[in-house]
Amino acid sequence: LLPGIQSGGEGNSGLYVRGGGPDQNLILLDEAVVYNAAHLFGFFSVFNADAIKDINIIKGGMPAEYGGRLSSVLDISMKDGNNKKYEVDGGIGLLSSRLTLQGPIKKEKSSFIISGRRTYVDILSRPFLKEGSSFSGSGYFFYDLTTKINYKISDKDKLYLSGYFGRDVFNFNNGKNDIGIQIPWGNATTSLRWNHLFNNKLFMNTSLIFSDYRFAFNIQQTDFELKIFSGINDWNTKIDFLYQPNQRHTIKFGTNYTYHAFTPGNATGRSGEVEFAPDEIYKQYSNEGALYLSDDFEVTDDLKVHAGLRYSSFQHSGYISFRDYIKNEFNGSNNNYRNIEPRLTLRYKLNTVSSIKAAYTQNYQYIHLASTASVSLPTDLWVPSSSGIQPKFSDQYAIGYFRNFNDNKYELSIESYYKEMTNLIEYKEGELPEDNTNTSSDGSFAFGDGNSYGLEFLVKKIKGKTSGWVGYTISKTTRYFDEVNNGNPFPAKYDRRHDLSVTATHKLNDRWSFGSVFVYATGNSITLPSDRYVIDGQVYTEFTERNGFRMDPYHRLDISATYTRKKRDRYQSSWNFSIYNLYSRKNPYFIYFALESENEEIDGSIQDGNVTPKAYQVSIFPILPSVTWNFSF
């Protein structure tokens, strides 16, 4: 809902920050990389709010300790668990239910927290779906589990072990057109951290981290079946130091190493009685490392500077050992990339209520989400940089004016940015993920550049019974590929000229509070077929310009009311009444084509000219009322 940060719309759960794609955001949960950060296509966050302690979002000047992405950082820390007493929190609702348990393992020494959720929106929405409507045939559910334990070894040493596991499953079935689609995906992470305090000036954090992301796309139509599956595993180790010589200097330095294992695209299928499957799962392996140094320095009371330098390295190979990685790092390799990334952020206070902030950052990104711009389904694949795929690179400039009004009751910010990106990746004309499954797909990609620029406005009320904000972004994101769209510029799939969000909450009294959210966004751009020809018995399809078709704009209104009962001893409860998509807007999820003939049964063929392909829009969520009972004791 913040300016400069866009959702992908219905059915697209990624974040699109200042013209960047969903793969250009570094999303961390207790330092573990999360490759897909939403449940229910953005309806729910993949992060359970009951288990979250702190969230830090960076969309401008990325500090040197973060790397590997071009656009933003979303750094999320989990709660440690109450080490003094046991607590139970939860909620039972129509859309989903959740339960959180926390408490001491050994008082003042060790504690735990475990939190789980499950949704049943597919069951709830079924009575509201009319046969033949845009929502008909679609269904969805998700579940997740978050857990963490910690142990205080001494006043200077602490251990933390945290984990996350979640799965989403989307189904679409239409008997009339004989099509069935199933899309399961999910994340799993584990983090083991050791904190050590050397003295009151020097602190160290050492981590061992595992991340896993898996995605599958299964489709069945008539006598044809296809299953495409992909994934990525990370094994990561890192050491970070924080040194504070005095109150004006905060110095951070450290290193990290990540071993990537990619399953970039494998497929099995059936056409009639003919089945095909690979002899073995195709995988790729890569090594990524970095060293960094940064300094937050208060030059004067009015001027603060963050200066940082990051050295990053990436190697794509079959090496499986850290020793091999170090050996090739120093000897050099055709698949080895080494880069320096400078970071600079300035903040200057004009007076007690206003300031100017400016940032310049260079970033390299070594892993890529190859996107099928011709469709809006989440069939994208993670692939590593290699001798044929160079890392992405970006230069970003940003400057903004910030001001508080009326005794800090209101906040105003106006920011502008300009971002240039090189070595961006797209599928070539006519190429699809399933065309190069079970083998390297490097030859399927085209490479080009891009730029994005925009203005972001935010007016926020933070005090009083009524609070909220209005955020608006006007921007343009363009791609330039010699081998795509006949070399002509084209809009990015997530190019949004206008993006508006309005939020409001009102506390009527100690019992009742109300909230609302309205969002509006320019529709996503996609590539659709425009003509179909039959030549010598063969069917040929002609497409529009790349991303030359705009889907309908995305907009919806959500409202809620919460009634909080009076607290009794340690027990607290509340009722939440909410309506998602109040006026049941049919926001587009994806568009597919099916054959239509004069007869109800399709007994003709395209070659004979007696059937016609027709476009159908699929929407996911109609109006969804919900009631949730929340409790805590």
Side-chain angles (χ1 to χ4, degrees):
L1 298 174
L2 293 173
I5 304 175
Q6 304 165 352
S7 69
E10 190 153 294
N12 294 276
S13 58
L15 296 176
Y16 302 85
V17 180
R18 291 183 169 177
D23 64 327
Q24 295 181 15
N25 308 299
L26 180 63
I27 302 173
L28 303 172
L29 178 62
D30 269 7
E31 300 186 347
V33 174
V34 176
Y35 284 93
N36 187 289
H39 286 308
L40 197 50
F41 310 104
F43 192 91
F44 285 88
S45 169
V46 77
F47 309 111
N48 188 343
D50 292 342
I52 297 304
K53 177 174 66 176
D54 187 45
I55 297 176
N56 186 28
I57 178 74
I58 304 169
K59 63 179 180 179
M62 190 183 298
E65 62 261 35
Y66 300 107
R69 300 294 188 273
L70 299 188
S71 293
S72 75
V73 177
L74 182 62
D75 193 352
I76 299 178
S77 302
M78 292 171 52
K79 291 179 180 177
D80 297 333
N82 196 320
N83 64 2
K84 295 181 180 180
K85 61 182 181 180
Y86 294 98
E87 292 183 9
V88 179
D89 301 277
I92 300 173
L94 297 179
L95 291 181
S96 68
S97 293
R98 68 191 195 280
L99 181 66
T100 300
L101 308 174
Q102 60 178 312
I105 299 174
K106 185 177 181 181
K107 282 190 176 183
E108 308 289 344
K109 194 83 173 178
S110 179
S111 61
F112 76 94
I113 182 170
I114 181 169
S115 185
R117 293 183 298 175
R118 173 64 160 88
T119 188
Y120 24 83
V121 66
D122 53 335
I123 301 173
L124 173 69
S125 61
R126 200 169 295 156
F128 297 92
L129 304 181
K130 294 181 180 180
E131 189 68 28
S133 73
S134 299
F135 302 105
S136 178
S138 60
Y140 169 89
F141 68 91
F142 83 78
Y143 58 92
D144 64 23
L145 180 68
T146 305
T147 184
K148 185 175 183 178
I149 60 175
N150 68 88
Y151 180 70
K152 183 179 179 182
I153 302 172
S154 68
D155 290 339
K156 293 187 176 183
D157 297 276
K158 289 185 179 180
L159 281 177
Y160 302 88
L161 177 64
S162 57
Y164 169 85
F165 180 84
R167 284 291 180 267
D168 294 65
V169 178
F170 169 74
N171 297 282
F172 175 75
N173 294 283
N174 189 308
K176 179 181 178 181
N177 295 321
D178 195 21
I179 185 172
I181 298 172
Q182 185 182 58
I183 308 174
W185 70 95
N187 302 276
T189 70
T190 303
S191 301
L192 175 63
R193 298 187 294 124
W194 169 42
N195 289 171
H196 177 68
L197 183 66
F198 290 96
N199 50 53
N200 59 1
K201 293 185 177 181
L202 182 61
F203 170 84
M204 179 187 72
N205 177 71
T206 303
S207 305
L208 298 174
I209 304 162
F210 171 76
S211 297
D212 174 84
Y213 172 70
R214 298 181 184 181
F215 167 82
F217 176 76
N218 311 319
I219 183 170
Q220 179 177 356
Q221 190 168 23
T222 316
D223 61 349
F224 174 78
E225 292 182 8
L226 177 66
K227 177 181 179 180
I228 302 173
F229 55 97
S230 65
I232 179 172
N233 303 120
D234 289 348
W235 289 263
N236 182 13
T237 179
K238 62 195 294 285
I239 302 176
D240 301 293
F241 293 90
L242 187 150
Y243 176 60
Q244 193 170 24
N246 55 58
Q247 292 185 346
R248 288 190 176 271
H249 278 279
T250 301
I251 299 172
K252 295 181 180 180
F253 58 96
T255 182
N256 66 68
Y257 163 77
T258 304
Y259 173 68
H260 301 284
F262 297 84
T263 308
N266 286 261
T268 61
R270 176 183 63 84
S271 182
E273 297 181 357
V274 179
E275 296 185 0
F276 60 90
D279 295 330
E280 60 180 358
I281 301 300
Y282 176 72
K283 290 192 174 184
Q284 295 176 293
Y285 304 95
S286 300
N287 304 275
E288 185 172 359
L291 297 166
Y292 73 88
L293 172 66
S294 68
D295 185 10
D296 280 311
F297 178 37
E298 292 187 18
V299 182
T300 68
D301 292 339
D302 295 330
L303 178 61
K304 185 176 181 179
V305 177
H306 170 87
L309 200 62
R310 183 180 181 90
Y311 167 83
S312 60
S313 172
F314 188 88
Q315 181 189 57
H316 172 61
S317 66
Y319 297 104
I320 60 173
S321 70
F322 181 72
R323 183 179 65 180
D324 288 329
Y325 166 68
I326 295 297
K327 180 177 68 177
N328 283 273
E329 169 69 14
F330 285 99
N331 292 340
S333 164
N334 290 333
N335 291 334
N336 199 9
Y337 296 96
R338 305 184 185 95
N339 294 290
I340 299 292
E341 306 172 34
R343 315 283 173 81
L344 181 64
T345 303
L346 305 174
R347 186 218 64 191
Y348 183 74
K349 290 174 62 177
L350 299 174
N351 49 51
T352 57
V353 296
S354 61
S355 64
I356 292 176
K357 299 177 184 179
Y360 170 72
T361 56
Q362 284 190 2
N363 295 76
Y364 284 89
Q365 180 169 331
Y366 300 100
I367 62 175
H368 316 270
L369 193 63
S371 174
T372 54
S374 59
V375 295
S376 56
L377 289 167
T379 53
D380 306 334
L381 306 177
W382 286 95
V383 294
S385 295
S386 63
S387 58
I389 301 177
Q390 294 186 1
K392 298 175 184 175
F393 171 74
S394 74
D395 272 308
Q396 179 175 257
Y397 307 83
I399 188 169
Y401 174 73
F402 301 80
R403 183 179 177 89
N404 292 356
F405 293 93
N406 198 6
D407 195 25
N408 297 326
K409 182 182 290 187
Y410 298 92
E411 294 180 357
L412 167 70
S413 67
I414 303 173
E415 294 184 78
S416 65
Y417 73 90
Y418 178 78
K419 182 189 296 183
E420 289 186 342
M421 296 164 280
T422 59
N423 301 326
L424 300 178
I425 186 172
E426 292 266 3
Y427 278 98
K428 292 179 180 178
E429 301 283 5
E431 294 279 355
L432 294 172
E434 60 267 29
D435 294 337
N436 288 279
T437 52
N438 312 321
T439 185
S440 173
S441 55
D442 288 10
S444 301
F445 304 127
F447 306 95
D449 302 329
N451 61 44
S452 181
Y453 52 89
L455 282 172
E456 302 164 0
F457 303 89
L458 179 66
V459 179
K460 188 175 184 180
K461 185 176 184 292
I462 57 177
K463 293 183 179 181
K465 285 192 172 184
T466 302
S467 60
W469 71 75
V470 177
Y472 172 69
T473 304
I474 181 169
S475 62
K476 185 176 183 180
T477 304
T478 309
R479 297 290 183 257
Y480 306 87
F481 284 71
D482 292 337
E483 298 181 71
V484 177
N485 205 43
N486 298 316
N488 297 317
F490 59 93
K493 181 169 66 173
Y494 30 83
D495 171 52
R496 294 267 184 86
R497 199 56 42 85
H498 304 285
D499 192 84
L500 172 70
S501 62
V502 182
T503 74
T505 60
H506 177 72
K507 186 176 181 180
L508 182 65
N509 50 45
D510 291 338
R511 298 291 181 90
W512 283 99
S513 62
F514 303 90
S516 65
V517 174
F518 174 77
V519 293
Y520 174 91
T522 303
N524 287 343
S525 59
I526 61 173
T527 308
L528 292 181
S530 57
D531 295 285
R532 184 165 286 171
Y533 304 95
V534 179
I535 303 175
D536 295 331
Q538 298 294 318
V539 179
Y540 296 90
T541 303
E542 195 170 280
F543 290 86
T544 63
E545 293 185 353
R546 176 61 65 97
N547 295 339
F549 178 82
R550 286 279 182 183
M551 288 208 269
D552 291 339
Y554 180 93
H555 56 85
R556 75 170 201 274
L557 174 65
D558 310 331
I559 60 172
S560 69
T562 301
Y563 175 74
T564 303
R565 301 185 66 182
K566 187 177 180 180
K567 188 174 183 179
R568 297 179 180 178
D569 296 327
R570 292 180 54 188
Y571 176 75
Q572 178 78 64
S573 68
S574 65
W575 287 90
N576 177 266
F577 309 91
S578 64
I579 301 178
Y580 176 89
N581 197 3
L582 181 63
Y583 48 87
S584 201
R585 164 72 174 176
K586 293 181 180 179
N587 287 302
Y589 172 35
F590 67 86
I591 294 173
Y592 73 95
F593 287 82
L595 300 180
E596 182 182 79
S597 69
E598 295 179 0
N599 303 318
E600 219 172 283
E601 293 186 4
I602 299 174
D603 53 7
S605 67
I606 295 177
Q607 286 87 342
D608 295 336
N610 52 8
V611 294
T612 303
K614 182 179 178 181
Y616 293 86
Q617 174 183 297
V618 175
S619 300
I620 304 179
F621 304 122
I623 179 173
L624 286 178
S626 178
V627 179
T628 303
W629 174 57
N630 299 302
F631 57 87
S632 175
F633 58 88

